[in-house]
Every structure is written in C-alpha cells, then in structure tokens.
Amino acid sequence: MKSRVFLAGVGGQGTLTATNLLGLLALDQGIEVCAGEIHGMAQRGGVVESALLLGGYMSPKIAPGEASILLGFEPLETLRALPYLRRGGVLVSNSEPTKPVGVSTGWETYPDLEDVQISSRECAGQARFVPCKSLAAQAGTVQCANMVLLGALCAAEIQPFTLKALHQAITSHLPAKIVDINLKASQLGFDAAREQ
C-alpha cells in the first residue's frame, strides 16, 4: 500500500502535530513512513505545509499532481495546495477560514468559499468540507480543530486511516490530559464528514 498525503495550513493550526500523529498511526501498523515539512513564518500565521508518504518512499517531497490525499486546515491553503492533488484524489478541508492579516486590514480580499469548494470538487474524486473550528469548540477547545479534520479524513475509509486506528494513535501518542478532548473532536469530524 502506497500513499502520498499533502497537508496544508497556517501557523498555529496543529498541522505538524497532525502530520506526526498520522505518521505514528502508520508506523503502529508496520507501514514505512517518510515525512517532511515547510513552514513560512508559521508563528505569524504563515503557511505550513507537510508531506507524509507511506509505503516505502525514499523522499519526503510531493510534486504537483502526485498527492492521493490533500488535507487542508484552512480553505485558502486548500485552494493553494490543490495543484498537488492528483486528479480523482481525496480532499478533506476545514470550511472555516482563518483570514490573513492582509484580508483583516482590508488590503486584500479572501476568495469566495463557494468558489474554493467548486474548484476542489472539480479536481478531487471525493471532497469533504467540515467546520473544524466550530466542531472543535463543541468538543471543548478550538485548538483541537486539527483532530476534527483527521476524524473527517477517516470517514473517507482509506487505509490505514480508520477512526479506530486514529483513536488508538491519539490514546498512545498524545499527552494523557488531552486524550479525551481529541477523541471527542475526531469523532465529531468523522460524524460530520459521514453526513456529507
């Protein structure tokens, strides 16, 4: 089983934590993992991209059109990362924006969210948009929005990313004090994605 997963978000969204957890999930199942990351001013809300390659790849890079799965932690970053997704691939994205400073100050405009979804659905074979921040707040804290997105990924039923395996990885690899809230967040993401 080989898979290339491209993850895109902005600083502070837990993109790298999610990448590490998915990698550990795969390692727990005996799958070879290769991963890499790029951060651009991540502490100031800049882009964070990471790649997770499963099944014996030797390089952590993903070229345009190669990713079988795209996880977007922020809709604009989903749109920017869309060229990495192979046609017919699986896309799971947060539907709630974290607007850049340029948009907040009125210097720039944010793309229409409906246009982001239309472009995504034109490329992806399967595209799901989940309100990660709202569901994370429902679970107890917006900081677990990344786990909502991972739960939504599990609804796509792509091995090895099952909800059971994700819950085992959360329980085994995250600090005990945040396990319950992350289990709840991932379950909410899974349920929301299943309803689509």
Side-chain angles (χ1 to χ4, degrees):
M1 183 226 81
K2 288 193 159 192
S3 184
R4 293 181 175 103
V5 185
F6 194 90
L7 302 94
V10 295
Q13 291 190 300
T15 305
L16 300 181
T17 298
T19 304
N20 289 336
L21 190 63
L22 288 181
L24 290 167
L25 179 160
L27 286 171
D28 288 345
Q29 298 183 47
I31 298 169
E32 289 184 56
V33 173
C34 183
E37 59 195 50
I38 299 171
H39 340 170
M41 298 292 283
Q43 292 182 339
R44 294 188 177 197
V47 65
V48 177
E49 296 176 348
S50 56
L52 185 70
L53 295 94
L54 308 180
Y57 289 98
M58 301 305 289
S59 168
K61 298 205 179 218
I62 296 177
E66 284 189 343
S68 52
I69 300 170
L70 170 59
L71 290 178
F73 293 79
E74 201 286 326
L76 177 57
E77 297 309 321
T78 299
L79 186 62
R80 285 183 177 156
L82 198 54
Y84 286 95
L85 184 66
R86 70 170 165 77
R87 196 151 279 282
V90 173
L91 181 149
V92 182
S93 176
N94 183 0
S95 62
E96 299 172 318
T98 300
K99 294 188 176 173
V101 173
V103 172
S104 299
T105 58
W107 295 353
E108 299 169 337
T109 57
Y110 195 89
D112 183 87
L113 290 172
E114 189 173 326
D115 290 342
V116 172
Q117 292 198 22
I118 289 170
S119 296
S120 298
R121 292 183 199 290
E122 285 175 355
C123 179
Q126 186 182 151
R128 291 186 164 113
F129 284 80
V130 177
C132 294
K133 291 196 290 189
S134 297
L135 292 174
Q138 187 179 330
T141 176
V142 73
Q143 278 75 26
C144 58
N146 58 346
M147 294 302 142
V148 173
L149 192 68
L150 295 188
L153 167 64
C154 294
E157 299 180 350
I158 302 168
Q159 290 297 327
F161 306 120
T162 65
L163 188 62
K164 181 180 178 184
L166 177 60
H167 283 179
Q168 287 172 343
I170 289 170
T171 303
S172 299
H173 301 294
L174 293 184
K177 65 181 180 183
I178 62 170
V179 164
D180 288 346
I181 199 165
N182 282 291
L183 291 174
K184 184 174 181 182
S186 59
Q187 184 69 55
L188 288 170
F190 179 84
D191 293 343
R194 286 291 290 259
E195 292 173 4
Q196 294 183 10

